Amino acid sequence: MTEEEFDAFYATAFPRLTGQLYAFTGDHGEAQDVVQEAFVRAWDRRREFLADGAPEAWIRTVATRLAVSRWRRARRWLELVRRTPPADHTPGPGPERAALVTALRTLPEAQRMAIVLHHLCDLSVEQVASETGAPVGTVKARLARGRAALARVLSEDSADPAGSARPSGFAGTPGKGEREDDRVR
């Protein structure tokens, strides 16, 4: 079978085979997948197909076997999952991590990105600069300002007896440009 003959065979047989496998699997997407896979495998044998005399039957058989194989694999996986009990309890983040995340949220986005990339993702200052498109000096300044702001927020949180995180600008005296009693400082 030439490439053109195979293409014509594919165009006529694919919808019919997909319908047949859909009836077998009950899943149209799965039927399309296994018929497509069978056609891919048939592509290498296309020269022998006319000699076989029943190319559609060969593809149907291969597609059916693929569907059964996938079904068995899925069933084995499901049995394995059922045998492995889920963990009774997955611990949540500790109070330190929650405080850090809350404190990070108070930072401007550029500082937060620099802090996360440098300290949590272990990127160098140069890599952070490359990733963010900012000059190295700017990244260094963002890191310094971000660390200072984090230190302030985290030290305020540790002094808070309730342990709740407060957004910056609400603890102590307001900073420059923040409102206090309807006045801007």
Side-chain angles (χ1 to χ4, degrees):
M1 188 181 285
T2 65
E3 289 184 19
E4 292 79 23
E5 291 171 329
F6 188 86
D7 289 344
F9 168 63
Y10 176 84
T12 58
F14 184 80
R16 185 172 43 251
L17 289 167
T18 300
Q20 294 166 1
L21 267 290
Y22 173 56
F24 179 69
T25 63
D27 182 343
H28 188 63
E30 181 73 13
Q32 288 177 325
D33 286 349
V34 294
V35 171
Q36 184 68 38
E37 178 65 28
F39 269 105
V40 167
R41 292 180 182 192
W43 177 257
D44 295 332
R45 310 172 138 240
R46 68 184 179 282
R47 287 183 179 69
E48 307 160 11
F49 261 22
L50 285 180
D52 289 346
E56 194 168 324
W58 186 89
I59 289 180
R60 185 183 324 52
T61 301
V62 170
T64 303
R65 288 178 180 166
L66 286 169
V68 168
S69 177
R70 287 181 174 194
W71 180 78
R72 285 180 181 155
R73 210 171 317 140
R75 189 179 65 187
R76 278 193 304 256
W77 179 83
L78 186 59
E79 288 171 359
L80 177 67
V81 168
R82 285 182 179 162
R83 275 189 243 142
T84 308
D88 291 337
H89 175 70
T90 304
E96 297 85 15
R97 184 174 182 96
L100 176 62
V101 170
T102 302
L104 280 169
R105 287 183 183 154
T106 65
L107 298 179
E109 184 180 345
Q111 289 177 10
R112 183 173 56 240
M113 180 65 73
I115 293 283
V116 167
L117 290 175
H118 184 66
H119 292 289
L120 300 178
C121 298
D122 291 327
L123 297 182
S124 68
V125 172
E126 292 77 18
Q127 290 171 320
V128 173
S130 173
E131 182 118 353
T132 60
V136 171
T138 303
V139 170
K140 288 179 180 179
R142 289 174 180 169
L143 286 169
R145 289 183 188 122
R147 284 189 292 256
L150 279 177
R152 274 194 311 276
V153 171
L154 291 173
S155 67
E156 291 170 359
D157 287 347
S158 64
D160 184 11
S164 63
R166 295 173 285 182
S168 68
F170 289 99
T173 9
K176 185 176 182 180
E178 295 174 339
R179 292 184 166 267
E180 179 183 68
D181 300 325
D182 295 329
R183 292 182 308 221
V184 176
R185 288 185 147 196

